[in-house]
Every structure is written in C-alpha cells, then in structure tokens.
Amino acid sequence: MTLGAVHVAGAGMIRFGKHPREVTLETMGANAARDAMNDAGVTSADIEAMYVGHVFGGPVAGQRIGARIGLAGKPVSNHENYCSSGATALREAWIAVGAGLYDLVLVIGVEKMTDRIKGGVQPDPGDLDAASGFIFAAGHALSARRYMSDYGATREQIAMVAVKNHAHSVMNPYAHYQKPVALEEVLTARPIAEPLGLLDCSPISDGAAAVIVASPAGLRKLGIATAPRIAGCALVSGTVQSGLGDVNEEDVSRRAGEEIYRLSALGAEDIDFVEMHDCFTIAEIVRLEGLGLLPRGEGARLTEAGHTSLGGSMPVNPSGGLLSRGHPVGATGVAQICELFWQLTGRAGGRQVENASTGLAYCKGGSVSGTDGASVTTVVMTR
C-alpha cells in the first residue's frame, strides 16, 4: 500500500526534568498537547484521533489526558514499546493519516518517572539477562570496553559525546540540563559500570511532548501552506541471536536504517542531522555506525573531531539528546520529532542546524533476552 503525504503541522513540549509530585502525568501531557495545538492553530473539535506513547502511565493514560483537552469520545490509542513508545505512537498516526482515515490527529509522548523510579529502570522480573546482572548499564559498559579494544578508541573520545550533547542543550529551553560539562567532569563522575560514569548515562526525567500530524487536506483546513513532511516511519524488532556474536555489530540498527531508507526513498548520504537515542555515550556512537551514518570504528574519533557537533558535517542531538535534554522514556520519541520539526522550520534558535533540510530520529526501546533488542524506530522528516 502506498501512503499519501503526511506532515507535522505543529509541536509542543514542556521542559523535561524533575517535576513536583503534584504535577501529574495527565497535567504534563495536556500542557504539551495544548502547546502543539496552539502552534498549529488547531482546536479540539478539529482533532479526529489521538495516539499516546507511555510506559509507566498506567491503564488508558491517553484517555485520561484526552478528557482534559476536549477529546473525550474521540478514538484514543495507547502505545508501549519502552523507549520507542512515543515514536511507535507517531508511526501509527502516520499510517492512519497516510491511509486517508484522518486528516488531523494528535500524538503525545509522556512519562512521569522521578516519583516512581529510583536509580535505573527495573527490568521485568522474568528477564534472564537481568537475572545474571546484564542490565542496561552493564551491557553498554561492555559495549564501550569492546569498542575501545577493537578500534583503539579512547575513554576520552567516548566521553566527548556527553560534553557535546550538554553543550547543545545549553541552547534548548526544554532540556533537563542547561549547562555545559567539561571533559574532566565526565571522566571523574561517580562510576556506574566501568568505564561508564554518571555523566555517560541519561537521567531519570519527567516530561511530555506532542505534535499535530496532518494530511495535505488537514493543512489546507488550518490555512498552512507548507509544513515538514514525514518521509517515513520504520519499526523493527530484535532477532534471535546465537553464539557469542559481536556486541557492537548493531544489526538491529542496520535493519532499522535499511527500512527507513526504503520507506523514505532517501539514503544515509541525504541526512543533514540526527536525533539519536543516546541513553549512554557509547550508544550514540555504535548506533550511528549501525545506521551507516558513520564508518564502523570511526564514530569515537569523529565525535572528538567535531564531526557530530553543531557546525560539524552531521550534527547529532542538537537538542542535547537523552544525556542532557533528558529521557522520560515514553516522551523521548515525540520530543525527537519536535526537534526535527523546529530544525526544519528554522525555529531552533541558537542550536539551529544551518541549511537543515532532512533529519533522522532513532529510538531503541528495551531488550529481550536472546535477541539484539526489543523495538527500534527510525523516522525521516524533510523540509
């Protein structure tokens, strides 16, 4: 089936961070939704359906938010794909609008974590990897050690991902952290899983983000002449692995890249900037390589050289990424789309990527024992 053109007509976010207990998930989601609706000039009567990504929001979180913003009675669906939840909600909206079912829909990603999660997020009790201690931090620490051994990368080069992304988030008013960090601060931060320290890890955050997804007819209804187009939304799952394998092979990222390049009819060479799921510093590097955006084994060196910084050849995480913008897991995928929208409409302020015309967003959500991941989403948007 060939889908029709699908656009993003407006975006809204609340600042990510640690919000007081009385600021509820419903409040955050509703505030982000209102901002996106105001940005697009859309009313609740115009919205035909709502798609909501969340992980810890409890039953029918989307309906609880919808009742606050005048969408009670409209079709509402809730999507849980761990860190890919918000992007999965976007994908379902993209399919529905592209298929002609709706002209204007609302997509929300939302999570309230800081009053529910202590330390790192907990795996499912039946997770066999977690039972043996192979939790997210341990897995990425192993990835970093193997990467340094295989490619001669240094600890300092990997730490530069955090330095870069914190520098970017200084210019993002929605970011959890809005101050730079020095390389020495990253290297001497409290150890989490050797060689990674606290500043190599994304924080536990609260937050919400929302976008209005529109068909060409929906844009005309709003009086919007042009808006960034969603060229494709891909979703893949991890495959069953056998043997020891290579922890940094990133086959799931390769397949996610191949799928988004197929859907969008664009290639890695067409991407101007990236919003990458940098849950840990090393993750940004190996996933960029898996997507074919950087040569394998060169990502750490290129990060140090400024290739992925604002002003470099291919800026990565101009928003600050998960490491500094924050990572409310259900909200992250939609926050990335907000950043793509702002960049492609020239509204990113001091973090604006010069001449940005095509952006890619990547989220990897969760793990399944015996596979190379749970869910990976990739989204390409064009100006």
Side-chain angles (χ1 to χ4, degrees):
M1 178 181 181
T2 301
L3 298 179
V6 181
H7 301 267
V8 175
M13 278 181 69
I14 67 167
R15 182 176 176 180
F16 286 8
K18 185 175 182 177
H19 290 272
R21 185 175 292 271
E22 59 268 22
V23 178
T24 65
L25 177 138
E26 293 87 352
T27 299
M28 294 190 303
N31 287 343
R34 291 188 189 102
D35 285 349
M37 293 166 69
N38 289 337
D39 190 44
V42 67
T43 69
S44 57
D46 298 321
I47 299 295
E48 298 167 90
M50 182 167 68
Y51 298 81
V52 182
H54 60 94
V55 179
F56 305 109
V60 293
Q63 284 84 343
R64 301 197 317 261
I65 295 168
R68 295 188 172 210
I69 55 175
L71 295 182
K74 301 289 180 76
V76 178
S77 57
N78 295 273
H79 302 272
E80 187 280 303
N81 244 351
Y82 223 128
C83 307
S84 297
S85 298
T88 300
L90 177 83
R91 181 175 185 267
E92 295 303 310
W94 171 69
I95 293 170
V97 172
L101 186 61
Y102 305 120
D103 289 319
L104 290 167
V105 304
L106 171 65
V107 179
I108 303 173
V110 61
E111 210 71 73
K112 189 69 161 68
M113 297 182 72
T114 60
D115 58 358
R116 306 179 187 199
I117 307 295
K118 302 301 180 185
V121 292
Q122 296 300 308
D124 184 84
D127 188 295
L128 296 176
D129 288 341
S132 63
F134 196 65
I135 57 175
F136 291 133
H140 287 282
L142 179 62
S143 167
R145 279 192 170 279
R146 183 61 186 262
Y147 191 93
M148 290 189 289
S149 175
D150 285 349
Y151 302 115
T154 66
R155 173 70 181 97
E156 288 78 9
Q157 288 173 333
I158 292 172
M160 282 300 299
V161 173
V163 175
K164 169 183 69 73
N165 291 350
H166 277 271
H168 291 173
S169 74
V170 170
M171 298 170 282
N172 184 356
Y174 299 103
H176 189 151
Y177 299 120
Q178 297 180 14
K179 62 179 183 179
V181 299
L183 177 60
E184 189 63 21
E185 291 180 81
V186 182
L187 297 175
T188 59
R190 175 166 62 87
I192 299 297
E194 185 64 31
L196 304 179
L198 184 65
L199 293 177
D200 290 281
C201 312
S202 56
I204 300 296
S205 308
D206 305 325
V211 293
I212 302 297
V213 176
S215 68
L219 292 182
R220 289 193 294 272
K221 182 175 183 178
L222 299 177
I224 297 175
T226 61
R229 182 174 69 92
I230 301 174
C233 292
L235 172 65
V236 301
S237 300
T239 55
V240 174
Q241 304 292 291
S242 61
L244 294 176
D246 181 345
V247 69
N248 288 324
E249 184 175 354
E250 285 296 321
D251 178 67
V252 69
S253 297
R254 178 190 59 79
R255 290 186 291 106
E258 289 176 349
E259 181 66 3
I260 194 59
Y261 302 143
R262 181 188 70 82
L263 288 171
S264 65
L266 297 168
E269 67 279 3
D270 298 308
I271 305 302
D272 297 317
F273 69 100
V274 179
E275 278 293 301
M276 171 52 66
H277 190 267
D278 58 324
C279 49
F280 297 86
T281 47
I282 186 63
E284 176 174 305
I285 293 168
V286 297
R287 290 168 182 174
L288 288 169
E289 294 180 7
L291 289 169
L293 295 169
L294 296 178
R296 190 165 184 188
E298 293 292 311
R301 181 187 64 81
L302 289 169
T303 299
E304 182 184 44
H307 179 83
T308 56
S309 297
L310 282 168
S313 301
M314 189 188 65
V316 177
N317 284 325
S319 69
L322 282 60
L323 287 169
S324 196
R325 184 195 61 229
H327 185 29
V329 286
T332 289
V334 183
Q336 291 181 333
I337 302 308
C338 289
E339 184 67 19
L340 265 58
F341 175 80
W342 289 322
Q343 291 286 347
L344 295 172
T345 53
R347 295 165 53 189
R351 66 187 190 281
Q352 181 67 49
V353 175
E354 188 175 359
N355 299 320
S357 63
T358 303
L360 182 150
Y362 171 111
C363 273
K364 185 174 185 179
S367 63
V368 176
S369 180
T371 77
D372 59 345
S375 59
V376 172
T377 50
T378 40
V379 181
V380 164
M381 286 176 57
T382 60
R383 186 164 57 190

